[in-house]
Amino acid sequence: MTSPADRITELRQTLLDHNHRYYVLAEPSISDREYDALLEELSTLEAAHPEFDDPDSPTQRVGGTPIDGFVTRPHAVPMISLANSYNLEDVMAYHQRTCKLLGNQSFRYVVEPKIDGVAVSLRYENGQLVQALSRGDGREGDDLTQNIRTLRSIPLRLRTDSPPEILEVRGEVYMTRDGFQTLNLERQTAGLNVFANPRNAAAGSLKLLDARLVAQRPLDAIWYGIGETRGISFETHLELLETLKRFGFRTPAKIWTCESADELEHALLELQNEKQTFPFEMDGAVIKVNERKYYDELGSTAKSPRWAVAYKYEPEQAETRLLDITVQVGRTGVLTPVAELEPVLVSGSTVSRATLHNWEEMERKDIRIGDSVIIEKAGEIIPAVVRVLLEKRPADARALPPPTECPACGGPVHRREGEVAWRCENPACPAKGLSRLKHFVSRRCMDIDNVGEELLKVLLTEGLIREPADLYHLAEHREQLLTLERMAEKSVENLLTGIENSKDRDLWRILHALGIPQVGERTAQSLEEHFDSLDALAAANEETLTAIADIGPIVARSIISFFALPENQQHIDDLRETGVNLTRKTKVAPSTESPLSGKTVVITGTLPTLSRDEAKDLLRKLGANVTGSVSSKTDILLAGEDAGSKLAKAQKLGVPVWDETKLREQI
Ligand code: IVH
């Protein structure tokens, strides 16, 4: 019989290994559920045996008591910055200078992505994380230790049996583009100020005084440098990266080593081409001399070393005209101003609309209808209006004042305490209803075929529906449906079949479809793993909810308040009465026998019969993780027609490529 002490040690080590596999190597070997079960077992044992408390236990990542402010502390070695170059000529001039300084000694360069995040320095003493500082002014930074400890990809202890006495590891904390979009969407729905870009979101998150909130932010980090060291040294930058990786850090996923100007140019172009395949924002490349023995010889200026240089990409911007500002009414009544633009090509796609976020933001940037504006689009991020070209402002340009009434229903608008958003407070606002219905039927919710925005508008004006549950009563109004414009026998049939089929969806879809503030697709999926019915979720208290890995107090409270509202209870009862499935369906557990269990899969191109979402759901059911970009961590590329750069990359990396038929064989 294993003693509690031994089991605790064993569980901690097992969980540490799984954490490392999941967050650092992106190669999980167990399902989230199995992981949660182990974590739960450890929490229970730790609660029963406080004598074995360990601040570095995997259960301690959720953050402790909020603090009043950050303490500033000195950096043992200053955190200096890099000199910038903006074109290949500048880079070549840097190369010439380096060659000249090093005479005829041979050297190589390492090229890495320049991550657009927040610089952080971690200090490990005898292998233990003791401090995390922001860059600050380079000489001293804010002590972010409590917040940084919540990032699961950062080791609290170095993964080595013989740690150096002192090792300071430096790198960049960032938010992925996906994480940023989800966070902003949630904030917008909740009426909170949105972040302008992933870097601000990462910086804002690290500046939160409550580490429990930081733990809920989708933060990640990549490490590429060192500060003070004692008891360890590195001959080359490559060796440094290798060692950091061995110690349990995420290091740049792709780097280039270059021996000549040509190779350098080639690497920089290749990196720029692959910019979109990185899940985070990068604003350029960093070129570093590989041999560290030359660093002293090369020296540094007051601000930056001569052994490295940054090559910055200009963000893709375009000039266009702001034709109009429209106002969107969201599901919760949040009013969002939207810029209607003269269509313009940026980052490979035509942009004709951009969010203006809210009135405060619009006033700060002094944006007026008729203005010439610069818009920016970074990767897949929603296009934004960066600034106005005041010199081109026409005499009749006009600002759009905050609404005094809802543009859709004329109802009262209000700004809640602590929020920047204006909201329509009319519970019966048809635009809110339309937004709710659009969300309900959308692909990542109930996925109802043949129901688009136009049809929903017609059904609303005809008084055939008001709330989602009404959709399921449409079959009783077949005659009236047939009188609607463009609704022949066949289309009514298709509509009703689509609605009927949606009664039997997975539980997470209805959880997402209900529009519970703070509950997006991912949270809905985690909830489904822990509750076998909507009723079980509705009965859960804050403690039960926050025990779930990715649910913090804010989300928990939002869920509880949602179910406490009588009108929401009524909606749920109405849905139940129509026969919509509100329970978890028995699933074939993603068993370890599934050849896809724990595998990382990327989808590209058009598949013959499955849509992207269908393929994603199917893969998830088979236990796979679906990610966006091909890397050495990818196990399988599922490719269809017109597969482009992802296919080429997979082939180059030797990643197995499957087609839909091969996937179907696994079912
Ligand atoms: S090396 C002596 N490598 O960019 C400074 N920096 O503009 C050594 N950054 O201060 C920094 N990605 O905050 C380095 N792969 C990378 C980087 C990187 C992003 C940041 C870092 C640096 C700033 C300079």
Side-chain angles (χ1 to χ4, degrees):
M1 180 71 190
T2 329
S3 72
D6 286 348
R7 182 63 184 153
I8 287 178
T9 314
E10 184 184 17
L11 280 168
R12 282 179 183 160
Q13 192 52 51
T14 312
L15 284 161
L16 269 180
D17 289 343
H18 286 309
N19 250 351
H20 181 244
R21 290 187 69 90
Y22 187 93
Y23 291 104
V24 181
L25 308 176
E27 284 169 358
S29 58
I30 57 170
S31 70
D32 291 0
R33 220 187 226 167
E34 288 166 300
Y35 179 90
D36 289 346
L38 293 173
L39 196 66
E40 175 88 43
E41 185 188 347
L42 179 59
S43 293
T44 314
L45 274 175
E46 285 180 345
H49 298 278
E51 67 274 25
F52 303 129
D53 268 1
D54 178 350
D56 292 348
S57 167
T59 54
Q60 302 302 305
R61 293 271 193 175
V62 285
T65 337
I67 54 171
D68 297 329
F70 295 101
V71 180
T72 309
R73 298 190 199 282
H75 287 291
V77 172
M79 281 183 89
I80 50 175
S81 193
L82 292 172
N84 287 325
S85 53
Y86 293 95
N87 49 50
L88 283 174
E89 289 82 72
D90 287 354
V91 174
M92 289 310 144
Y94 168 80
H95 172 56
Q96 297 301 334
R97 217 171 37 237
T98 314
C99 289
K100 209 164 142 197
L101 286 166
L102 292 179
N104 49 14
Q105 307 176 89
S106 77
F107 68 96
R108 296 195 290 175
Y109 292 110
V110 175
V111 172
E112 295 169 355
K114 183 164 166 2
I115 306 133
D116 197 8
V118 182
V120 168
S121 183
L122 307 174
R123 184 177 175 89
Y124 289 84
E125 288 177 2
N126 300 312
Q128 198 82 18
L129 174 66
V130 293
Q131 178 178 278
L133 297 183
S134 68
R135 179 215 304 280
D137 63 4
R139 282 135 50 95
E140 47 181 32
D142 285 338
D143 188 333
L144 304 176
T145 317
Q146 291 314 317
N147 286 351
I148 285 293
R149 286 174 57 92
T150 65
L151 270 74
R152 285 164 207 263
S153 68
I154 294 179
L156 300 178
R157 231 174 260 165
L158 300 179
R159 290 179 71 82
T160 168
D161 292 333
S162 44
E165 191 182 337
I166 290 174
L167 175 63
E168 286 188 351
V169 180
R170 292 178 173 178
E172 214 75 5
V173 172
Y174 62 86
M175 198 173 279
T176 59
R177 283 191 288 260
D178 280 358
F180 164 74
Q181 284 191 352
T182 314
L183 178 68
N184 260 0
L185 213 67
E186 283 170 6
R187 291 179 67 85
Q188 192 152 16
T189 315
L192 300 171
N193 217 342
V194 291
F195 291 109
N197 54 46
R199 181 171 23 81
N200 287 5
S205 302
L206 285 180
K207 278 293 166 75
L208 289 167
L209 297 173
D210 186 345
R212 288 171 302 186
L213 301 181
V214 185
Q216 293 174 47
R217 295 284 170 90
L219 294 174
D220 220 320
I222 288 185
W223 307 93
Y224 48 69
I226 50 171
E228 189 187 6
T229 57
R230 210 177 294 164
I232 192 164
S233 63
F234 309 94
E235 299 225 324
T236 62
H237 185 64
L238 288 175
E239 184 197 335
L240 184 156
L241 292 179
E242 261 315 303
T243 311
L244 292 186
K245 196 166 164 186
R246 200 156 43 77
F247 282 175
F249 294 94
R250 292 186 63 220
T251 51
K254 182 148 185 196
I255 55 170
W256 286 255
T257 27
C258 312
E259 302 202 0
S260 64
D262 281 344
E263 282 184 11
L264 192 55
E265 178 172 348
H266 182 77
L268 292 174
L269 294 178
E270 210 168 83
L271 180 56
Q272 188 155 13
N273 274 334
E274 292 182 15
K275 198 174 150 196
Q276 294 311 331
T277 67
F278 291 88
F280 49 79
E281 285 295 301
M282 46 175 285
D283 56 345
V286 180
I287 302 155
K288 297 174 180 175
V289 170
N290 182 39
E291 289 72 19
R292 294 179 55 89
K293 63 178 176 208
Y294 300 135
Y295 286 13
D296 282 346
E297 201 171 323
L298 289 167
S300 62
T301 69
K303 282 198 218 123
S304 50
R306 287 200 195 85
W307 48 263
V309 71
Y311 170 55
K312 296 253 274 188
Y313 305 143
E314 297 292 348
E316 286 172 71
Q317 295 191 333
E319 180 184 332
T320 186
R321 248 171 46 92
L322 178 57
L323 303 175
D324 199 2
I325 298 174
T326 51
V327 181
Q328 265 179 4
V329 186
R331 307 201 294 276
T332 55
V334 171
L335 304 178
T336 306
V338 176
E340 305 290 341
L341 306 164
E342 207 165 81
V344 59
L345 195 70
V346 216
S347 297
S349 62
T350 305
V351 172
S352 54
R353 303 183 97 191
T355 172
L356 294 169
H357 301 306
N358 55 56
W359 270 268
E360 202 169 271
E361 182 80 7
M362 207 157 72
E363 280 158 15
R364 196 176 57 75
K365 290 182 179 158
D366 188 18
I367 295 171
R368 302 189 193 173
I369 300 169
D371 270 338
S372 287
V373 292
I374 296 293
I375 64 160
E376 189 171 295
K377 186 164 178 273
E380 283 130 49
I381 284 169
I382 311 166
V385 174
V386 188
R387 63 190 168 90
V388 170
L389 298 170
L390 285 177
E391 64 280 15
K392 293 195 177 174
R393 172 167 283 169
D396 60 352
R398 64 187 171 87
L400 184 76
T404 48
E405 56 183 39
C406 170
C409 70
V413 295
H414 180 65
R415 240 167 105 148
R416 295 186 191 166
E417 176 101 30
E419 291 189 355
V420 290
W422 290 90
R423 286 176 193 258
C424 164
E425 298 287 349
N426 171 13
C429 170
K432 265 197 229 178
L434 179 64
S435 283
R436 266 205 302 274
L437 283 158
K438 261 167 56 185
H439 175 71
F440 188 86
V441 302
S442 67
R443 279 187 311 146
R444 301 312 291 165
C445 291
M446 298 306 268
D447 191 18
I448 305 187
D449 287 340
N450 310 313
V451 186
E453 178 167 353
E454 287 314 309
L455 178 60
L456 288 174
K457 276 188 192 159
V458 174
L459 296 173
L460 273 165
T461 20
E462 292 292 318
L464 282 162
I465 54 171
R466 260 187 64 184
E467 293 300 330
D470 300 332
L471 288 164
Y472 298 97
H473 291 292
L474 279 177
E476 298 154 25
H477 306 284
R478 192 182 286 263
E479 292 310 312
Q480 201 179 339
L481 287 173
L482 281 166
T483 65
L484 302 179
E485 211 175 311
R486 276 181 294 165
M487 286 296 265
E489 190 73 49
K490 183 89 187 118
S491 21
V492 171
E493 209 46 58
N494 287 344
L495 167 67
L496 296 176
T497 318
I499 294 174
E500 186 61 28
N501 288 344
S502 75
K503 284 186 179 172
D504 194 31
R505 296 276 187 255
D506 279 333
L507 180 60
W508 69 263
R509 289 187 171 270
I510 188 86
L511 295 181
H512 187 205
L514 286 174
I516 306 171
Q518 308 281 346
V519 176
E521 177 181 338
R522 258 190 320 188
T523 309
Q525 288 171 351
S526 318
L527 288 170
E528 191 200 59
E529 296 207 359
H530 292 84
F531 298 96
D532 60 9
S533 68
L534 186 71
D535 293 338
L537 173 64
N541 59 20
E542 189 171 333
E543 199 187 349
T544 322
L545 287 165
T546 47
I548 299 173
D550 30 352
I551 295 189
I554 294 195
V555 182
R557 274 175 228 145
S558 166
I559 295 173
I560 293 167
S561 337
F562 179 87
F563 286 110
L565 277 183
E567 64 255 38
N568 291 336
Q569 288 167 4
Q570 187 59 51
H571 289 163
I572 294 167
D573 287 342
D574 292 345
L575 283 167
R576 189 193 319 275
E577 247 168 56
T578 66
V580 171
N581 172 52
L582 302 179
T583 56
R584 183 166 67 210
K585 307 213 295 184
T586 31
K587 284 196 212 159
V588 204
S591 68
T592 33
E593 285 127 56
S594 155
L596 282 159
S597 171
K599 293 277 192 287
T600 302
V601 184
V602 174
I603 312 174
T604 186
T606 316
L607 300 170
T609 70
L610 292 173
S611 71
R612 274 290 165 98
D613 283 332
E614 285 164 346
K616 197 165 136 190
D617 291 342
L618 181 60
L619 285 163
R620 228 174 64 87
K621 279 193 182 130
L622 291 166
N625 265 320
V626 183
T627 62
S629 55
V630 175
S631 73
S632 54
K633 310 274 161 38
T634 311
D635 294 306
I636 294 161
L637 179 76
L638 178 63
E641 280 285 306
D642 295 327
S645 61
K646 288 187 188 173
L647 179 60
K649 188 157 180 208
Q651 283 163 341
K652 202 165 119 207
L653 292 170
V655 172
V657 179
W658 287 20
D659 60 7
E660 189 181 312
T661 319
K662 174 112 195 219
L663 173 66
R664 287 185 177 281
E665 284 165 13
Q666 317 299 320
I667 309 169

